[in-house]
Amino acid sequence: MHPKSFSDLMRLAHGFESAKIFLVANDLGLFRLVGEGSTAGVLAETLQLDERALGILLNALVALGLLEADGQTFKNTHLGRTYLASEDRRESIFKHIHRCWESWNNLADVLCHGQPDEVREEQFLHNTQDWNREFIRGMEDVTRDLAPQVVSKLKLTSPRHLLDLGGGPGVYAKAFLQCYPELEKVTIFDLPMAIDIAKERLDGYQRIGNVRFSEGDFRYDHIGSGYDIIWISQIFHSQDERGCQKLIDKAWNALLPGGTVYIHDFLLDDTKMAPVSAAIFAVHMLVMTERGRTYTGSEIGTWLEERGFIDVFQDVVSEETAIVAAVKPS
Ligand SMILES: C[S@@+](CC[C@H](N)C(=O)[O-])C[C@H]1O[C@@H](n2cnc3c(N)ncnc32)[C@H](O)[C@@H]1O
């Protein structure tokens, strides 16, 4: 909601404080450690922290509704038990967001130079440290509910071999296989570290026999061929205009005649000033990547038509995301 008063501006400016309290608590694993109930003293000893300082943080977490208190005993809320403390908790996405904070601190500098000094995306592509694992696991946290919802909206007719380009942890691959029993093969193409995680995550999945894993860098490597569907989800925003056009070109070459490419992302409307989530994500890409941003459906549609695709169409597929799709003529 747009700020309408001085109080609203104050609330907006103070927003980072609550976010920091939550993100530090998540990094510490506090929600997991609180379990069925614990005190500041026990938690401080476990984590080797200052008891007074931790007590202040715990009180603030209760004030924010992120923990509950029974006297001096802190407990998880239902939300905390479900998403932050359970076996299949979703803490990775919040760890990832917290690490991105460092890059956001450089926003003013990025505005001077046009791009970050230390480009996270490049770090991401060339190392395999925890940061990147957290990022890929974070993608899993976010798409676990989203992917089945998005995939069921696509209404594919008789798909056979689908390429999930930059498929990350494999959540979309799984959603496609669940939703379309007639799919014979889903190929996940991604960087080696992401493919490792996808393999881990899909281990034991009943349709694993229908999954192919392909390691490579989509900017330079061959992405295969003979696909009737290519799914490119949350990739375009990390590329500049030329990078997006090159991916469209690769998709063209990899698709069978009559095949369809789907580009799924946070799309801006033609003003580039809305919706708010896509406009903010453009700034996120400004601080995180060399030349990434969010795009309008019309920009992507124009590139697709320039390459020769036909029947370009757009659709909103979730609260914050949309697709642009197009067909390679038969
Ligand atoms: C934002 S995630 C999106 C993951 C998934 N498609 C989704 O929608 O949840 C971006 C994915 O692109 C992959 N990626 C980024 N650059 C890549 C490159 N140059 N070659 C191959 N994969 C890349 C990352 O490893 C990551 O899995």
Side-chain angles (χ1 to χ4, degrees):
M1 219 175 54
H2 291 170
K4 299 251 178 331
S5 63
F6 180 69
S7 312
D8 288 349
L9 291 176
M10 287 295 281
R11 209 168 298 120
L12 180 68
H14 279 296
F16 79 94
E17 296 164 353
S18 321
K20 191 70 168 178
I21 289 167
F22 167 49
L23 294 173
V24 167
N26 181 65
D27 275 4
L28 288 170
L30 264 186
F31 300 100
R32 185 171 31 86
L33 291 170
V34 158
E36 291 307 306
S38 192
T39 62
V42 171
L43 291 165
E45 203 179 316
T46 309
L47 290 166
Q48 296 289 290
L49 297 174
D50 180 82
E51 185 176 337
R52 173 182 173 275
L54 184 62
I56 291 172
L57 186 89
L58 288 163
N59 289 343
L61 286 164
V62 175
L64 285 167
L66 293 166
L67 285 179
E68 285 167 359
D70 184 358
Q72 296 307 306
T73 302
F74 295 94
K75 297 178 179 171
N76 271 305
T77 61
H78 176 66
L79 193 73
R81 272 195 300 280
T82 312
Y83 295 112
L84 304 169
S86 62
E87 277 277 288
D88 63 346
R89 59 188 171 273
R90 303 189 192 184
E91 62 186 359
S92 293
I93 187 58
F94 300 116
K95 289 186 178 174
H96 169 65
I97 290 171
H98 199 186
R99 296 202 185 164
C100 294
W101 189 305
E102 289 166 32
S103 303
W104 275 83
N105 280 336
N106 301 328
L107 176 56
D109 197 48
V110 171
L111 292 174
C112 287
H113 303 290
Q115 62 188 68
D117 273 350
E118 193 189 309
V119 180
R120 279 260 179 235
E121 194 73 6
E122 280 304 313
Q123 284 186 349
F124 167 71
L125 293 174
H126 298 296
N127 79 44
T128 55
Q129 291 167 5
D130 286 356
W131 196 93
N132 305 321
R133 292 196 172 273
E134 219 66 83
F135 169 61
I136 302 297
R137 294 208 175 106
M139 292 307 104
E140 184 185 14
D141 291 346
V142 172
T143 52
R144 224 183 288 174
D145 300 329
L146 184 69
Q149 179 195 334
V150 166
V151 162
S152 68
K153 288 213 169 142
L154 301 180
K155 309 263 181 290
L156 306 183
T157 39
S158 318
R160 289 182 38 235
H161 188 184
L162 180 147
L163 169 67
D164 187 355
L165 190 66
V171 182
Y172 274 101
K174 197 168 165 181
F176 276 111
L177 285 165
Q178 300 282 99
C179 190
Y180 301 100
E182 68 272 36
L183 250 180
E184 289 162 19
K185 243 189 290 178
V186 172
T187 297
I188 304 174
F189 183 100
D190 210 304
L191 297 164
M193 182 269 308
I195 290 293
D196 282 350
I197 295 179
K199 283 181 179 165
E200 255 172 45
R201 292 315 208 219
L202 293 173
D203 187 32
Y205 171 51
Q206 54 173 9
R207 292 197 67 191
I208 188 69
N210 302 85
V211 182
R212 301 286 176 276
F213 298 97
S214 181
E215 290 181 3
D217 185 322
F218 56 49
R219 297 173 304 174
Y220 313 115
D221 299 326
H222 183 57
I223 60 169
S225 59
Y227 308 108
D228 55 338
I229 306 282
I230 298 186
W231 175 248
I232 308 178
S233 172
Q234 305 291 17
I235 303 296
F236 269 37
H237 59 237
S238 64
Q239 308 294 307
D240 63 8
E241 291 82 345
R242 189 70 203 106
C244 295
Q245 289 162 356
K246 281 188 184 161
L247 287 179
I248 287 175
D249 193 49
K250 285 203 156 182
W252 174 275
N253 292 325
L255 270 176
L256 292 170
T260 308
V261 60
Y262 288 85
I263 293 146
H264 174 236
D265 218 311
F266 302 113
L267 294 187
L268 287 163
D269 71 15
D270 285 340
T271 68
K272 297 189 178 160
M273 299 170 203
V276 68
S277 51
I280 291 177
F281 207 80
V283 183
H284 184 57
M285 288 297 103
L286 184 66
V287 298
M288 296 293 292
T289 67
E290 208 172 342
R291 303 291 297 174
R293 66 173 171 95
T294 43
Y295 296 96
T296 68
S298 312
E299 286 176 296
I300 296 173
T302 302
W303 299 330
L304 287 162
E305 282 174 346
E306 283 170 358
R307 185 58 189 86
F309 281 96
I310 56 169
D311 298 341
V312 176
F313 67 97
Q314 278 186 55
D315 201 5
V316 172
V317 287
S318 75
E319 211 178 312
E320 294 190 333
T321 63
I323 51 147
V324 184
V327 177
K328 179 174 173 177
S330 303

